[in-house]
Amino acid sequence: MTTSSTSSTDAAAQGAWFETAFAGAPLMAILRGMGVERSVRLSETAWDLGIDSVEVPLQTDEDERALREVVRIGATRGKSVGAGTIITPEQVALAADAGASYLVSPGLDPVVVRAAQDAGIPILPGVATPSEVQLAVSLGLTWLKAFPATWLGSDWFAHIRGPFPQVRFVATGGLNASNVDEFLDAGVRVAAVGGGGGGGGEGGPRPPGGL
């Protein structure tokens, strides 16, 4: 099998992984900078509420410890845990070692995408323009993160589906109980809600359910 064929197969498998992972609920909880104990507590709350997908952004040593513990607890409940704010190949390796099931990036870096693909870990890179979506598609990706979602606006998704009907979007940035339905109605497959010590950032305001 050629390298290009292998890459296509791997990309298709990663797309299928997201289809399965996000089939249960259209929400993802982002737990940014909350420390080990609170991250575990809020992860368990999210799972109890039926939010299967939990992301722990990886920016500090404490975040790494939180990710490892949430991964450990999640494994006992059959839950997959993602590592967010992945911006370097080194973080890809760190997240993989911590047991993350998928990765999330704020932007689109082909080097990071290839590192994740080589490691066999599904990745959601962030996009905000048609050019970035087109580049992501050329890398074999069909699931992408639209960031910052509230800055883009819900109408963005209706427009972008025209040239890219095969792409599925996770909307991130500024989503909360007051606007999440607007984005889901616009065709977003998953809405990511969360908060933390960084004043919103990728995660945005507090999500529904008091997480």
Side-chain angles (χ1 to χ4, degrees), residues 31-33 56-64 84-87 91 94 106 198 202:
L31 309 179
R32 178 181 299 282
V56 180
L58 191 58
Q59 295 178 284
T60 67
D61 291 341
E62 180 70 4
D63 292 339
E64 180 187 349
T85 318
I86 302 300
I87 59 175
Q91 285 180 308
L94 183 63
E202 273 182 77

Side-chain angles (χ1 to χ4, degrees), residues 57-202:
L58 191 58
Q59 295 178 284
T60 67
D61 291 341
E62 180 70 4
D63 292 339
E64 180 187 349
R65 289 189 287 272
L67 174 62
R68 290 181 182 276
E69 186 62 10
V70 173
V71 166
R72 186 186 71 81
I73 299 298
T76 67
R77 301 178 59 153
K79 305 297 184 182
S80 299
V81 178
T85 318
I86 302 300
I87 59 175
T88 67
E90 291 75 19
Q91 285 180 308
V92 171
L94 183 63
D97 184 69
S101 296
Y102 64 96
L103 309 177
V104 185
S105 293
L108 175 62
D109 183 341
V111 173
V112 174
V113 170
R114 291 301 188 201
Q117 291 173 335
D118 289 344
I121 303 178
I123 184 168
L124 284 169
V127 297
T129 68
S131 294
E132 290 172 340
V133 176
Q134 184 169 324
L135 175 56
V137 170
S138 76
L139 296 172
L141 301 175
T142 55
W143 278 80
L144 303 173
K145 180 177 86 167
F147 174 75
T150 52
W151 178 76
L152 291 170
S154 58
D155 287 345
W156 184 86
F157 298 93
H159 290 298
I160 210 72
R161 278 203 308 272
F164 305 107
Q166 76 277 34
V167 176
R168 305 292 181 262
F169 288 102
V170 175
T172 304
L175 300 189
N176 55 37
S178 68
N179 60 15
V180 66
D181 286 340
E182 173 188 344
F183 284 85
L184 292 174
D185 290 343
V188 168
R189 289 294 296 273
V190 178
V193 291
E202 273 182 77

